[in-house]
Amino acid sequence: MQTAFFQDLYNILINDPALQAVYAPAPVRARFNLANQDEDFPYLIYSGNFQYDDSESFACGTAFITVSVYDFRTNSARCLAACNAVKNALNRHLYQNPGQYRVTRWYLGSQMNIPMNREDVYHEELIFRVRFYDESLSSQVT
C-alpha cells in the first residue's frame, strides 16, 4: 500500500498545474525521503509515517505526511508560492487507488520555516495528517 501511495503522491506533485506554474520553465522536482547531495534548487522532498489502528479495524490508520520545500533564500516568495500550491493540491482532498488504499481526507497539521545551517537556503515544511484505509489488507481476509 505505501509504495502505491507514495508513487501516487509523486505523480500528484509533479503534475499539479499550480506547482508547474511556480517552477516554470523548470520541471517540478520531487524526491522521496532524501534529495541528491547536489540537487538543483528548487525541489520538494516528501516522506511519511504510517500508523495502523490497534483495533478491530486493523486496515485503518493515520499517516503523517511531510512535504518539505527547498529554495534559495532570495526566492523565498517562490518557496511560499510552492507551499500554497501543495496545500491546494492536498489539503482536504480525497485520493484513492482501488485495490490498494483509500484516503478519507488530508488535513494540514502544520506549516513552519525550518532553520538551515546554510544561510542561502530557505526550507518550509508542511505536515499533513491523513486518515487511510488499506484495501490491500482487507482483501486478504475477505
Side-chain angles (χ1 to χ4, degrees), residues 92-141:
R92 300 190 182 272
H93 286 274
L94 309 172
Y95 294 104
Q96 64 182 344
N97 185 329
Q100 291 293 317
Y101 67 87
R102 279 184 277 153
V103 169
T104 55
R105 189 130 354 230
W106 291 69
Y107 291 102
L108 179 63
S110 69
Q111 178 178 348
M112 63 191 102
N113 178 265
I114 307 295
M116 299 289 295
N117 58 356
R118 286 183 52 186
E119 291 182 14
D120 63 332
V121 175
Y122 190 80
H123 175 197
E124 196 77 13
E125 181 180 81
L126 305 160
I127 300 175
F128 295 91
R129 182 175 178 265
V130 179
R131 286 293 296 164
F132 67 89
Y133 180 75
D134 189 340
E135 290 184 358
S136 66
L137 286 177
S138 65
S139 64
Q140 294 175 10
V141 290

Side-chain angles (χ1 to χ4, degrees), residues 74-85:
T74 55
N75 294 327
S76 60
R78 178 173 65 181
C79 188
L80 292 174
C83 287
N84 286 334

Side-chain angles (χ1 to χ4, degrees), residues 18-91:
L19 264 175
Q20 290 175 343
V22 169
Y23 289 144
V28 177
R29 283 186 294 282
R31 305 291 183 249
F32 177 69
N33 236 12
L34 291 171
N36 297 326
Q37 187 173 5
D38 57 349
E39 191 76 53
D40 292 328
F41 289 99
Y43 60 89
L44 308 170
I45 296 178
Y46 61 96
S47 60
N49 178 9
F50 288 77
Q51 300 170 350
Y52 287 84
D53 291 345
D54 188 18
S55 67
E56 294 174 10
S57 180
F58 65 91
C60 293
T62 302
F64 294 93
I65 306 301
T66 303
V67 179
S68 291
V69 182
Y70 291 85
D71 207 339
F72 287 114
R73 186 162 296 283
T74 55
N75 294 327
S76 60
R78 178 173 65 181
C79 188
L80 292 174
C83 287
N84 286 334
V86 170
K87 285 190 284 191
N88 290 335
L90 300 178
N91 194 35

